[in-house]
Amino acid sequence: MKTLLISGTDTDAGKTIITTALRAYYQQYFSGLKVGLMKLLQTGVEGDGEFYQQFFDDVVIPLRFNAPLAPPLAADLEGKFIDLNVIWQSLLKLQQSHDLLLVEALGGLGSPITHDLTIAQLAGNWHLETILVVPVKLGAIAHTVANVALAKHHKVKLKGIVLNCVNPCNEEDINNWTPKQLIESLTQVPILGCFPYVDKIDNLADLAQITAHNLNLSKLNINRE
């Protein structure tokens, strides 16, 4: 089976939208695959889990904390700690029962998941193939280069970069803020495409079609059977 971690350069990169789009795409065009969905953990009473539940009834979130803060801080407020073994066991169980498992991270690759561990370290230690979601905005080049450098330092298996229009933007904005050739030259990581701004998501079939038209996912080597 295959596991893909969907991480980002920061908290507002649009990881949840891209993760939803990827699952919609694989369910629509790879009907023979059993696709699972997991978020490493959630902070905040309402968040990504509630968004996913609008479309999927099987999303797994092993740990939840009430405060919308970095996980170790949210856990501290409740007198608890981040038990990575709980997350790991959930991951293993889902891997055993699915052909493809999509796992949403939190924050950027440099975001802490415990007091001693970042998402990049976790991805490297657990050998998770990773997609980096980059919001199309001013400063994206530097954020991308920094996150890729961190990923390489921790031996993260970066499979590609997805540019994501978190706000309405035109072709000139995309070329100025996230120039494909420059980012690929600086990072040596392929850009899989640019996901357009979507004002409202209410149809997974449409989302799958948008994904197919805008992202080249062949480099991820997902088999149709």
Side-chain angles (χ1 to χ4, degrees):
M1 67 82 56
K2 195 173 190 73
T3 300
L4 288 175
L5 180 72
I6 294 86
S7 189
T9 52
D10 48 42
T11 55
D12 61 352
K15 297 181 299 296
T16 305
I17 299 299
I18 297 302
T19 304
T20 303
L22 289 174
R23 189 173 193 190
Y25 169 80
Y26 285 113
Q27 288 186 169
Q28 175 90 5
Y29 297 105
F30 292 63
S31 58
L33 288 181
K34 186 175 183 182
V35 185
L37 177 59
M38 172 181 171
K39 185 173 174 68
L40 291 175
L41 59 82
Q42 178 170 309
T43 59
V45 175
E46 292 190 1
D48 297 334
E50 286 65 36
F51 177 86
Y52 285 133
Q53 286 168 4
Q54 299 177 82
F55 309 105
F56 314 113
D57 59 7
D58 60 348
V59 59
V60 173
I61 305 177
L63 297 176
R64 286 177 177 255
F65 302 95
N66 291 331
L69 301 171
L73 301 181
D76 287 347
L77 288 177
E78 298 181 22
K80 300 176 182 178
F81 71 101
I82 309 294
D83 190 343
L84 291 179
N85 187 58
V86 171
I87 301 175
W88 176 247
Q89 292 303 321
S90 293
L91 180 73
L92 290 180
K93 184 176 180 180
L94 288 169
Q95 286 178 331
Q96 292 167 2
S97 57
H98 293 84
D99 303 307
L100 170 64
L101 178 60
L102 303 174
V103 181
E104 185 190 348
L106 50 130
L109 282 172
S111 296
I113 189 166
T114 71
H115 283 287
D116 305 305
L117 206 68
T118 64
I119 294 297
Q121 289 171 287
L122 182 80
N125 292 345
W126 288 5
H127 307 290
L128 299 177
E129 294 188 346
T130 301
I131 294 173
L132 183 67
V133 180
V134 176
V136 177
K137 61 181 183 180
L138 190 63
I141 299 171
H143 291 161
T144 305
V145 171
N147 273 265
V148 170
L150 183 64
K152 290 181 177 179
H153 177 72
H154 292 294
K155 296 180 172 57
V156 178
K157 299 178 181 179
L158 272 183
K159 300 298 291 183
I161 293 168
V162 172
L163 306 177
N164 183 32
C165 295
V166 293
N167 294 300
C169 53
N170 55 39
E171 196 70 26
E172 184 178 7
D173 293 332
I174 296 168
N175 291 334
N176 287 337
W177 296 335
T178 51
K180 181 178 184 292
Q181 289 185 340
L182 179 58
I183 290 175
E184 288 185 331
S185 176
L186 290 169
T187 65
Q188 299 301 300
V189 178
I191 289 179
L192 304 177
C194 184
F195 199 83
Y197 175 73
V198 179
D199 182 46
K200 184 179 181 182
I201 298 174
D202 51 18
N203 188 308
L204 289 181
D206 288 346
L207 195 62
Q209 188 175 51
I210 292 170
T211 305
H213 287 170
N214 291 279
L215 301 184
N216 178 7
L217 302 177
S218 61
K219 292 181 183 296
L220 301 182
N221 299 319
I222 306 297
N223 296 322
R224 291 183 178 274
E225 299 299 332

